[in-house]
Amino acid sequence: MSTNLILRARGLTKQFAGFAAVQEIDLDIAEGSIHALVGPNGAGKTTCFNLLTKFLEPSSGSIVFDGRDITRMQPAQVARLGLVRSFQISATFGHMSLLDNVRVGMQRAAGMAWQFWASPARLGRLDERARQYLEQVGLADRADQLAVNLPYGHKRALELATTLALEPRLMLLDEPTQGLGHEDVERVTELIARVAKGRTVLMVEHNMSVISRICDRVTVMQRGRKLAEGSYAEVSANPEVISAYMGEAVEDLPA
């Protein structure tokens, strides 16, 4: 894992009508790492995620991504720089094939973002690479099926394939295992670990078993502030972290 930082946030704060949802957060994301942002309900994780992806403007603080100050940029601008968010909402087109879904993502990188009317021959040159993205998420054998017919866990995999098609420098995954059954959680966890090789991932995740298995570093938030940071072993043994999770569901407690 590289020690180079791909994202650095300093003093990140967001206030809503006098209430500080995020307070003075410092965050360093190392290139090539899988970094988790966790905390009890109401800790400010989602607000922090929205600030980093520019869906919210910070009240104060700064965000530097890949050497560029993105603090006042718009979501579309940072996405073009390679900071791409997935699993926030469904990003698939149900009545298009899996191949076409991935190809739509690829059209932006190929400078053909809105050329849906382009000839099949021209768009067809993207097919081989699109099938490779589907192969990476285990969906190559379903390439010609309609996305609407996919089971829920496979739709998550397709969303990840469309994210990969945008060629992200940093993938931000918002609750990637939320709502999944045990088998799908296992499948998506293994999938994230596989596609993260050679990439950088920041994820908000409640499932501590998932975090313990694949994350290099964990930042724990409580009441809008950073409570602890380190490896899973370090933060799960931290008395303050254990105390912060009291009252959460047993399966969500750090082990």
Side-chain angles (χ1 to χ4, degrees):
M1 184 181 68
S2 170
T3 56
N4 294 328
L5 297 181
I6 192 168
L7 186 142
R8 176 190 292 263
R10 289 292 179 267
L12 206 57
T13 298
K14 182 62 180 180
Q15 294 185 332
F16 297 99
F19 169 70
V22 170
Q23 305 179 62
E24 297 291 329
I25 292 290
D26 292 343
L27 188 64
D28 292 335
I29 308 298
E31 191 168 16
S33 69
I34 304 179
H35 194 126
L37 191 61
V38 306
N41 291 331
K45 305 181 300 295
T46 298
T47 301
C48 188
F49 219 55
N50 286 334
L51 290 169
L52 295 174
T53 53
K54 305 318 319 307
F55 286 87
L56 285 175
E57 283 293 313
S59 302
S60 60
S62 64
I63 309 167
V64 174
F65 171 65
D66 199 21
R68 296 185 61 173
D69 190 326
I70 64 168
T71 310
R72 300 303 169 191
M73 287 189 182
Q74 296 299 310
Q77 292 176 292
V78 298
R80 284 192 290 271
L81 294 177
L83 193 156
V84 180
R85 182 172 182 168
S86 182
F87 294 141
Q88 180 197 24
I89 57 174
S90 178
T92 61
F93 299 98
H95 294 285
M96 293 172 61
S97 71
L98 276 60
L99 183 66
D100 285 339
N101 267 273
V102 176
R103 199 165 62 178
V104 166
M106 293 181 66
Q107 285 176 227
R108 182 198 65 80
M112 303 162 61
W114 302 107
Q115 296 183 32
F116 296 102
W117 57 86
S119 70
R122 189 176 182 197
L123 293 178
R125 66 185 174 88
L126 303 177
D127 285 359
E128 182 179 357
R129 185 61 178 155
R131 290 183 187 276
Q132 291 175 2
Y133 288 127
L134 289 172
E135 178 70 35
Q136 287 184 52
V137 301
L139 294 176
D141 60 340
R142 296 172 179 255
D144 297 319
Q145 295 182 17
L146 294 181
V148 70
N149 296 326
L150 287 178
Y152 187 56
H154 286 78
K155 286 181 179 177
R156 290 293 178 92
L158 176 58
E159 290 168 358
L160 187 52
T162 61
T163 302
L164 293 176
L166 293 170
E167 300 180 359
R169 293 290 315 284
L170 172 58
M171 292 190 294
L172 296 107
L173 308 183
D174 194 354
E175 300 282 8
T177 68
Q178 186 175 33
L180 298 180
H182 177 72
E183 288 186 4
D184 280 335
V185 168
E186 292 294 311
R187 183 175 185 276
V188 170
T189 301
E190 292 174 2
L191 177 59
I192 292 170
R194 185 164 71 247
V195 303
K197 287 179 171 42
R199 298 184 175 94
T200 310
V201 175
L202 173 63
M203 58 193 289
V204 170
E205 178 57 58
H206 273 102
N207 191 317
M208 300 305 289
S209 174
V210 172
I211 291 166
S212 68
R213 287 170 54 189
I214 67 172
C215 291
D216 301 298
R217 195 162 184 83
V218 182
T219 299
V220 184
M221 293 183 64
Q222 182 187 30
R223 298 176 183 174
R225 295 186 179 276
K226 184 163 72 173
L227 179 65
E229 189 171 80
S231 68
Y232 175 81
E234 290 169 338
V235 299
S236 64
N238 186 314
E240 289 184 296
V241 173
I242 296 171
S243 176
Y245 271 83
M246 293 303 292
E248 294 292 296
V250 173
E251 60 268 24
D252 286 341
L253 288 172

